[in-house]
Amino acid sequence: WASGAFTLPALRQALRATGVRSAVSATHVRHMKVLVGVKRVIDYAVKIRVKPDKSAVETANVKMSMNPFDEIAVEEAVRLKEQKVATEVVAVSVGPTASQEQLRTALAMGADRAVHVVTDEEMLPLNVAKVFAALVAKEQPSLVVLGKQAIDDDANQTGQMLAALLGWPQGAFASKLTVADGKLQVTREVDGGLETLGMSLPAIVTADLRLNEPRYATLPNIMKAKKKAIDKTTPKELGVTMKKHLTTLKVNEPPTRSAGIKVESIEQLMDKLKNEAKVI
């Protein structure tokens, strides 16, 4: 996304065209609102099937759930509120009407409010980042927490694009999050071990797998969540145009792997690696 038409200046220019500010002043920590992203995806336990025309994966009559990394993001936001660091948690989903189901899950987990940006357009990372930027200008949060990636497209781009659009600091792939004295510390796993970043608020954080273990929503909370109102809006109402700048040409299933074999000796293993697999 950082090449061609989607350079950082072009991103900011696109944001300005929607009437959204590229920066938001920091909110006092004593009134710290957290915006958290929620995406509807095929459940991680479902075996993915490709449509016969190979245009996309099959989603009809398939179990859908909240993106697992977004569950981690919601859990972290709720924990910040339980620690009296955050004062309000707002769950946001951009997608079709059915996305309300995942928003109600977030409410049952402990989110205070939910905002549903209703659209049937394909959810490309740049479009989602623009929608979140518009909501940031409206909601004025101190912190935005997103899953590092969605398990359907594995794009891993929305958080970084949102930070670029807003001009905010970002802590990607967070495995630990600490807020103190209006400052944010994000610990993230890197190839050499752990890296700790310090940044001022407002900021963007994307959640990695080891940030926490999401809770299960209790039945009483699920029942309460069903009665909570969900604020609805559209990209058009937010001043965002959903432009389709990427096209999926074809979707193929991965090739079937052949069965493995057992070898009797190191010599036989080396022979097969050299003469059959030809990797050495």
Side-chain angles (χ1 to χ4, degrees), residues 31-236:
H31 183 69
M32 180 177 165
K33 183 188 294 186
V34 180
L35 215 64
V36 59
V38 172
K39 185 178 183 182
R40 178 181 173 87
V41 299
I42 296 176
D43 188 86
Y44 71 92
V46 171
K47 179 176 174 55
I48 303 298
R49 293 179 292 113
V50 176
K51 289 183 176 180
D53 63 1
K54 299 192 175 185
S55 61
V57 298
E58 186 61 69
T59 57
N61 301 316
V62 172
K63 181 183 178 183
M64 308 294 282
S65 301
M66 187 191 304
N67 177 47
F69 289 103
D70 292 344
E71 281 190 276
I72 295 169
V74 172
E75 174 66 27
E76 193 65 21
V78 171
R79 289 188 185 188
L80 288 174
K81 186 183 176 185
E82 291 174 342
Q83 296 164 8
K84 313 242 181 257
V85 174
T87 54
E88 185 180 21
V89 176
V90 183
V92 178
S93 187
V94 185
T97 302
S99 296
Q100 289 186 41
E101 180 184 344
Q102 282 63 50
L103 285 173
R104 298 221 179 264
T105 300
L107 290 169
M109 290 175 67
D112 299 293
R113 291 195 291 118
V115 177
H116 185 193
V117 183
V118 184
T119 177
D120 291 321
E121 298 289 334
E122 184 180 358
M123 290 295 93
L124 299 175
L126 180 58
N127 289 337
V128 176
K130 287 180 180 179
V131 169
F132 266 84
L135 285 172
V136 164
K138 181 179 179 181
E139 294 283 346
Q140 297 281 301
S142 299
L143 180 65
V144 179
V145 186
L146 307 171
K148 72 169 185 177
Q149 65 194 74
I151 62 171
D152 52 1
D153 58 17
D154 279 332
N156 180 22
Q157 295 175 340
T158 303
Q160 293 88 326
M161 287 180 169
L162 179 58
L165 289 170
L166 295 173
W168 285 11
Q170 62 174 305
F173 321 137
S175 60
K176 185 179 178 182
L177 184 62
T178 306
V179 182
D181 301 323
K183 301 290 184 181
L184 183 67
Q185 273 199 352
V186 177
T187 301
R188 54 197 301 269
E189 296 181 1
V190 296
D191 290 341
L194 297 176
E195 177 183 64
T196 301
L197 304 175
M199 61 195 72
S200 59
L201 295 172
I204 311 293
V205 171
T206 65
D208 203 352
L209 189 64
R210 278 169 282 278
L211 181 58
N212 59 54
E213 180 80 24
R215 71 192 68 191
Y216 289 102
T218 62
L219 182 58
N221 286 339
I222 292 173
M223 300 307 294
K224 289 177 184 177
K226 289 182 178 180
K227 298 178 182 178
K228 290 185 179 181
I230 295 177
D231 298 330
K232 293 183 181 180
T233 185
T234 64
K236 185 177 180 180

